Amino acid sequence: MPHIQISNSQDESQSQCSYYHLPITHHCILTIKHKNSYISSLGIGGKLLYTGSSDKEIQMLKRDNLRYEYDHENLNNSVIITGKGAVKSLVVSADKIYSAHQDHRIRVWKVDENDAQQKKLTQLATLPTFSDRALTILTPKNHVQVRRHKKSTWVHHNDTVSALAVSRDGLVLYSVSWDRTLKIWRTTDFKCLESVANAHDDAINAIALSSHGDVYTGSTDKKIKIWRKLKSPKGEKHSLIATLKKHRSGINALALSTDENVLYSGASDRLIIVWEKSDDDDGMVVVCTLKGHVKSILCLSVVSDLLCSGSADETIRIWRGIEKCYFCLAVLEGHSGPVKCLTSETDHLSLSDASASYIIYSGGLDSDVKVWQISIPL
């Protein structure tokens, strides 16, 4: 039986800390406007920023150019048309990009660097692959009930693929879907290795992955579940080791701290909950609850010791924790619609002995990609 971890609420005095009174500087470096579509996903790889949008497009932007006025003609030349519906998630691993789509598919791309003028994406596969589908469709035991009058093979997602994660060595891809399943794929041949059916009671919206292989999933059912690969009579399979219950509404985003000892969860209840590993079991306990956003938390990103949160209230908040007390360092305002996706990185071009600098990329339902720079005194 899986261990169930139900965290107790903490005193309000311990759950919210005041603003951090340091001369933090931040500004929007650049805004890139897209036409007729909102930005649904962002990813960083090599020297590029990848954007996924609601009109099936993936675009590649050179990050070095994003500090200046961007060439929109060049932007239009880097469009890759894919699938049906929004690009829901992008993850980058070495020279491969994985994209999750509203048409229930995952697509795999390779960065083609043969063109000296401009890098291009070449599609390698669509998951599940034809060979996976062919091998499973002929055997009745490979068919599972997905709706009252519909069956499908276990390798298929049967609703929007909402989020992806890839292992640090790049050998394993994890996907979650509104069909309530967690699937595991081998990236050498794109074979589906495992499917966890009914992993949640409702749509799964978010996934986070530790370097040790622990998988965290967040769902509209208000729960976070932790999965680990364990030996069983049928071989190694992912098993539920803990369930975290604290949010009052559906979970939209998950992120791990850089040392992986802390999990952050953002939900439609307007809260970010900070979880820390428990000393005596495989569960996690609540450290504090971050309040400040006035609408749903839609996305989270971690860079160094900072947590970035994007919300339906059209703002981005930057948080830092010191000895389990978290402070809001800054509120970034500029989007005219909900902030749907975030990614971030250390700003290596602005190194200083006096301050640390970071670049934050945000995408919103206002169809804008914004590039922010934030500097924090050391």
Side-chain angles (χ1 to χ4, degrees):
M1 292 291 290
H3 169 72
I4 306 297
Q5 174 71 47
I6 303 178
S7 300
N8 296 320
S9 61
Q10 296 190 356
D11 293 338
E12 286 296 321
S13 61
Q14 297 178 346
S15 67
Q16 178 67 29
C17 299
S18 60
Y19 278 80
Y20 201 50
H21 298 293
L22 273 180
I24 309 299
T25 60
H26 58 85
H27 66 286
C28 181
I29 301 174
L30 182 68
T31 298
I32 302 171
K33 294 186 176 295
H34 286 63
K35 297 179 180 178
N36 305 320
S37 64
Y38 68 82
I39 308 303
S40 51
S41 52
L42 294 169
I44 289 176
K47 297 181 178 180
L48 299 175
L49 173 72
Y50 299 89
T51 71
S53 65
S54 59
D55 61 357
K56 308 174 291 184
E57 294 181 356
I58 298 174
Q59 295 179 327
M60 300 182 293
L61 310 175
K62 292 181 179 179
R63 300 211 308 280
D64 287 349
N65 294 347
L66 299 182
R67 293 173 173 272
Y68 317 102
E69 186 173 350
Y70 203 82
D71 182 354
H72 281 262
E73 182 178 350
N74 187 32
L75 172 67
N76 293 333
N77 290 337
S78 65
V79 175
I80 309 294
I81 304 297
T82 62
K84 298 178 180 178
V87 182
K88 303 298 289 185
S89 179
L90 290 170
V91 293
V92 184
S93 177
D95 63 345
K96 293 187 181 66
I97 295 94
Y98 302 90
S99 56
H101 296 266
Q102 197 167 347
D103 66 357
H104 315 172
R105 299 287 188 267
I106 301 165
R107 288 175 176 83
V108 188
W109 310 84
K110 183 177 175 62
V111 181
D112 184 359
E113 301 192 45
N114 292 329
D115 188 334
Q117 299 298 319
Q118 184 176 349
K119 294 183 180 180
K120 296 181 179 179
L121 291 182
T122 302
Q123 187 171 349
L124 295 181
T126 299
L127 309 187
T129 62
F130 175 79
S131 57
D132 246 0
R133 300 196 305 269
L135 288 172
T136 56
I137 198 169
L138 299 176
T139 308
K141 71 175 183 178
N142 290 324
H143 291 249
V144 293
Q145 195 83 34
V146 294
R147 295 186 184 88
R148 186 176 179 183
H149 299 295
K150 182 180 178 181
K151 287 189 174 184
S152 176
T153 62
W154 64 270
V155 299
H156 282 86
H157 278 301
N158 292 283
D159 206 330
T160 296
V161 184
S162 51
L164 301 171
V166 65
S167 61
R168 184 169 293 183
D169 60 10
L171 296 178
V172 183
L173 176 72
Y174 300 80
S175 62
V176 292
S177 168
W178 292 352
D179 66 8
R180 301 181 294 152
T181 66
L182 162 67
K183 295 189 190 296
I184 297 93
W185 312 79
R186 188 168 58 208
T187 62
T188 52
D189 58 2
F190 309 122
K191 179 180 176 61
C192 188
L193 301 176
E194 183 183 352
S195 178
V196 181
N198 300 315
H200 281 268
D201 299 326
D202 209 331
I204 307 175
N205 302 316
I207 186 170
L209 178 66
S210 78
S211 58
H212 301 294
D214 283 354
V215 183
Y216 303 80
T217 55
S219 168
T220 304
D221 67 8
K222 311 175 191 177
K223 301 171 188 174
I224 300 166
K225 293 189 176 183
I226 307 175
W227 309 85
R228 184 175 297 164
K229 196 172 184 178
L230 300 173
K231 290 183 178 180
S232 71
K234 296 182 179 180
E236 289 189 327
K237 298 291 182 182
H238 283 80
S239 300
L240 181 66
I241 62 168
T243 300
L244 312 181
K245 299 179 182 180
K246 176 68 175 177
H247 281 288
R248 298 191 297 268
S249 59
I251 295 159
N252 300 317
L254 296 172
L256 284 168
S257 62
T258 51
D259 64 6
E260 301 184 348
N261 289 324
V262 176
L263 174 72
Y264 305 101
S265 57
S268 296
D269 57 11
R270 302 172 294 173
L271 301 178
I272 300 167
I273 294 181
V274 182
W275 307 82
E276 197 172 76
K277 288 185 177 180
S278 176
D279 294 331
D280 55 354
D281 54 37
D282 292 321
M284 305 188 84
V285 295
V286 174
V287 174
C288 62
T289 302
L290 308 185
K291 300 176 182 178
H293 286 294
V294 296
K295 291 186 179 180
S296 299
I297 314 298
L298 300 180
C299 50
L300 297 171
S301 178
V302 169
V303 57
S304 185
D305 61 346
L306 303 181
L307 171 68
C308 312
S309 58
S311 169
D313 66 11
E314 305 179 1
T315 69
I316 300 159
R317 285 180 176 257
I318 312 299
W319 311 82
R320 172 183 273 175
I322 299 176
E323 295 183 354
K324 300 185 180 182
C325 190
Y326 279 74
F327 302 85
C328 182
L329 301 180
V331 180
L332 311 185
E333 298 177 308
H335 278 285
S336 59
V339 181
K340 189 69 175 66
C341 48
L342 289 171
T343 190
S344 49
E345 63 177 341
T346 300
D347 184 6
H348 294 291
L349 298 180
S350 300
L351 295 176
S352 167
D353 294 333
S355 64
S357 183
Y358 305 94
I359 299 293
I360 299 163
Y361 306 93
S362 60
L365 300 193
D366 55 3
S367 303
D368 287 353
V369 174
K370 289 185 178 291
V371 184
W372 311 81
Q373 184 181 50
I374 180 168
S375 296
I376 304 172
L378 294 175

